Amino acid sequence: MTGREFFTARTVADALAGFRPTLRTPVEDVPLYEALHRVPAAPVPAPAALPGFARSTVDGFAVRAADTYGASDSLPSYVDLLGAVRMGAAPTVAVRPGGCVAMPTGGVLPAGADAVVMVEYTAETMPGTIEITRPVAPGGGLVRADEDVAAGAALVPAGLPLRAPDLGLLAAAGVTLVPVHARPRVAIVSTGDEVVPPTTRSLVPGQVRDATAPALAGMVADAGGQPILAGIVDDEPGALKDRLTEVLPGADLVVVSAGSSVGARDETAGAVAAVGEIWCHGLAIKPGKPTLLADCGGIPLVGLPGNPLSALVVFGQVGVPLVWRLAGCESPPPPPSTRARLARDLASAAGRLDVVQVRVRDGVAEPLFGPSALLSVLARADGYLLVPEPATGLDAGTEVEVVLYR
């Protein structure tokens, strides 16, 4: 390293497409109630068809559809009431031609029936006789035994985080253990002589509490990872290399919050180069250009700028997708977003991705600006918008997509 930042910046798109570690976390079985947002390692097949029996979707009467053809208010069809189906019990009566069986919603379709006519289109004109004023087609008012899921079909696919409805479907199929990728272990290393733990009660001039590490830990956890706070390393030569050597064996991803000065960033790059291979040193993104990506014996490493705002912005764009990918998810779930009109002109430089913090009020996105050392800009933001690499800015009034913070 020369002590000067004469590096060629890669675009964020290049980084996402090209820096793709092959490492995936091991597979483990987790109980269904702990599987939310976990990533299945393989499709989970249905042990049997769902719902497993033909069932009614309406209150009414199970019939042979042919017995209702031509029914109308002026010319009803009449069928004999043969019995009733009880919820949670198998039918004790079958439907024969010219007959019907009373059905609750969710009840098991009795033998001989191929449709359920809604109770709204019926009337009991005399004891034991049901009048039908609307025809029903075969299959009407019911679901087939395998209409929800066929036996052997995938209940959930591999590689997509499980959502609450997925857990419900798995439960309906009787799947109580799910094979998922383990949560990626993300070691977070802070550096800098000026950085002290957040528990430090009184600061001396020049000291700053480590605000980046707890925020990064939250982002890691939100992406399904397991944050490991690996402490603060001072700027002594060799100290960072020693710490990286310690944490790499127990991590799936290492994140280094580097110092803000050129010298500190050079020290980070030198330490990383000593334990791995640097893929890029510099991203065409604002804020966050001095980002470093490296492969350390198969373990990816992300070196972030020292300023908290820059570090968190870059980690959201590059680090969070890495956490998901390590857990077997190639396409991270999209964050919530909204459309809004830009409140003012935004200048940008072509070839650079600008990440602009915004506040959204009444459909208007107001950009928030401030030095990259100020976390309050992020704390006040409702989300951010992206000014893409080819653009030289956005005009006031432009409709933009705002990615919202959860």
Side-chain angles (χ1 to χ4, degrees), residues 39-131:
V39 181
V44 179
L50 286 178
F53 56 88
R55 62 192 299 182
S56 174
T57 60
V58 296
D59 290 334
F61 296 90
V63 296
R64 295 170 67 251
D67 290 336
T68 71
Y69 292 165
S72 65
D73 290 330
S74 59
L75 191 62
S77 295
Y78 294 92
V79 290
D80 297 327
L81 181 60
L82 305 174
V85 169
R86 293 176 52 239
M87 281 296 294
T92 57
V93 60
V95 173
R96 56 175 170 75
C100 70
V101 171
M103 294 292 300
T105 299
V108 183
L109 190 74
D114 62 2
V116 179
V117 64
M118 293 176 64
V119 69
E120 289 86 345
Y121 303 132
T122 67
E124 189 169 7
T125 55
M126 62 183 69
T129 300
I130 301 298
E131 177 186 83

Side-chain angles (χ1 to χ4, degrees), residues 27-30 39-44 175 177-181:
V27 179
E28 59 186 13
D29 289 336
V30 300
V39 181
V44 179
V175 177
L177 285 177
V178 189
V180 298
H181 284 279

Side-chain angles (χ1 to χ4, degrees), residues 25-317:
T25 57
V27 179
E28 59 186 13
D29 289 336
V30 300
L32 184 63
Y33 290 101
E34 298 176 13
L36 185 66
H37 300 154
R38 302 296 293 272
V39 181
V44 179
L50 286 178
F53 56 88
R55 62 192 299 182
S56 174
T57 60
V58 296
D59 290 334
F61 296 90
V63 296
R64 295 170 67 251
D67 290 336
T68 71
Y69 292 165
S72 65
D73 290 330
S74 59
L75 191 62
S77 295
Y78 294 92
V79 290
D80 297 327
L81 181 60
L82 305 174
V85 169
R86 293 176 52 239
M87 281 296 294
T92 57
V93 60
V95 173
R96 56 175 170 75
C100 70
V101 171
M103 294 292 300
T105 299
V108 183
L109 190 74
D114 62 2
V116 179
V117 64
M118 293 176 64
V119 69
E120 289 86 345
Y121 303 132
T122 67
E124 189 169 7
T125 55
M126 62 183 69
T129 300
I130 301 298
E131 177 186 83
I132 299 173
T133 59
R134 294 286 190 282
V136 62
L142 59 87
V143 294
R144 302 184 310 273
D146 63 352
E147 191 163 336
D148 211 359
V149 182
L155 293 164
V156 294
L160 292 178
L162 293 171
R163 306 164 302 157
D166 299 323
L167 302 187
L169 187 60
L170 291 167
V175 177
T176 57
L177 285 177
V178 189
V180 298
H181 284 279
R183 298 185 187 276
R185 300 162 300 175
V186 182
I188 301 169
V189 180
S190 301
T191 69
D193 289 335
E194 77 282 10
V195 181
V196 297
T199 53
T200 304
R201 296 185 65 87
S202 299
L203 301 178
V204 301
Q207 289 183 331
V208 294
R209 295 184 182 91
D210 186 1
T212 305
L216 288 172
M219 296 176 74
V220 167
D222 194 47
Q226 177 186 346
I228 302 170
L229 296 177
I232 300 169
V233 180
D234 60 33
D235 292 331
E236 289 297 317
L240 179 56
K241 173 182 174 293
D242 292 342
R243 183 63 56 86
L244 293 178
T245 303
E246 292 173 7
V247 302
L248 276 166
D252 301 304
L253 171 65
V254 176
V255 181
V256 178
S257 175
S260 300
S261 68
V262 171
R265 292 198 291 268
D266 285 342
E267 174 64 26
T268 298
V272 172
V275 297
E277 181 179 351
I278 294 177
W279 186 82
C280 83
H281 188 190
L283 286 181
I285 183 173
K286 181 184 179 183
K289 182 181 178 183
T291 299
L292 180 151
L293 301 175
D295 185 308
C296 300
I299 307 298
L301 181 146
V302 180
L304 298 173
N307 285 323
L309 189 152
S310 299
L312 300 184
V313 166
V314 171
F315 191 76
Q317 296 299 309

